[in-house]
Amino acid sequence: MNPMFFGSTREPLFGVYHAPTTRPVREAGVVLCQPVGHEYVRTHRFVLHLAGALAARGYHVMRFDYSGTGDSWGGDDDASLARWVRDTRAAADELRETAGVSRLHLVGIRLGGAIALRAAQGRADVEAVVLWDPVLRGAAYVAELAAVGEAFLASEYPAPRRGERFDPAVHGVVGHVLGSVALAELEELDLTTAAAGRQLALVLTHERGGIASLRRHLEDVRHPTRIERVHARPEWESATQAAAALLPQQFTPVTDAVAACLQ
């Protein structure tokens, strides 16, 4: 692993490059687009394992933190979908320069799926986008976060004052606050009618809300889409599991499905 800071000196992004650990070395790179908030924490060990597993299959891999998250610059008010898309493109450029590859794949997890799909637009070097349980409708996702956050707090701490509305921007979700800009952008997010424009693969633990609409749209525009259904239970919507890490050993089927989609 090669940890690094990249991007501008005023707004540095933290990333880790995983060089291929087996031969033959593939002439392709993979950028991992992580979730945000408590899902970033839940998937941290899995993402580390996934990066190593893909490197062991001969890929050049980059995982990184968006602005306002992890070890990258910025705070809650600096975080936004538009900025995270720019960060992803910067990570793709950094991987190309570091590894000397000209072909890329983007792998997005949850909200990282929407970010990956947007970051791929207009880039001829991105051959495929793989999405694991992607967030498709931002308004529904914000409502889901609010429900998870409220239920988690109710189980751990005294209930808020009667009549007080739970607000993810104020109360946070399992210790993580989404800034007002990011929340406003999420309210407008809808990928169920998005144009993929390149090879697209969905790795699904179950048919989540919006997936059927996305599939119908892709069929209508005759866009070839690979769908891999896996037996795994991340329980994204569960308040009781909101602070539980996804252990790599439990999600080997997801790792295998992502790798298969890159072939």
Side-chain angles (χ1 to χ4, degrees), residues 184-210:
E185 289 177 318
L186 278 172
E187 291 289 347
E188 302 298 322
L189 176 67
D190 187 351
L191 295 186
T192 59
T193 59
R198 59 202 16 85
Q199 180 181 334
L200 179 66
L202 301 174
V203 176
L204 306 175
T205 56
H206 61 278
E207 294 284 334
R208 301 179 57 81

Side-chain angles (χ1 to χ4, degrees), residues 123-251:
R123 293 193 65 120
D125 56 353
V126 176
E127 292 190 343
V129 180
V130 181
L131 314 179
W132 175 28
D133 284 350
V135 171
L136 298 176
R137 291 192 174 105
Y141 179 60
V142 171
E144 178 185 314
L145 290 178
V148 169
E150 187 170 23
F152 180 82
L153 284 180
S155 66
E156 298 289 333
Y157 304 101
R161 295 188 299 273
R162 184 181 300 274
E164 182 180 358
R165 179 178 178 273
F166 183 88
D167 185 349
V170 176
H171 301 97
V173 179
V174 196
H176 298 268
V177 175
L178 273 175
S180 57
V181 174
L183 283 172
E185 289 177 318
L186 278 172
E187 291 289 347
E188 302 298 322
L189 176 67
D190 187 351
L191 295 186
T192 59
T193 59
R198 59 202 16 85
Q199 180 181 334
L200 179 66
L202 301 174
V203 176
L204 306 175
T205 56
H206 61 278
E207 294 284 334
R208 301 179 57 81
I211 291 293
S213 297
L214 176 63
R215 289 178 61 188
R216 285 194 298 270
H217 166 68
L218 294 171
E219 289 171 358
D220 289 341
V221 298
R222 299 184 180 181
H223 189 284
T225 305
R226 177 170 181 169
I227 298 178
E228 293 283 339
R229 293 179 176 81
V230 295
H231 296 289
R233 297 185 62 187
E235 299 186 70
W236 305 115
E237 300 171 5
S238 170
T240 60
Q241 296 297 311
L246 304 187
L247 300 180
Q249 298 88 338
Q250 296 174 297
F251 291 88

Side-chain angles (χ1 to χ4, degrees), residues 88-127:
T88 302
R89 290 172 177 161
D93 293 339
E94 184 67 26
L95 179 57
R96 286 192 55 161
E97 182 177 343
T98 299
V101 296
S102 59
R103 297 166 42 234
L104 297 173
H105 307 296
L106 303 185
V107 175
I109 303 169
R110 296 290 281 150
L111 186 57
I115 295 167
L117 204 56
R118 288 189 171 184
Q121 293 176 0
R123 293 193 65 120
D125 56 353
V126 176
E127 292 190 343

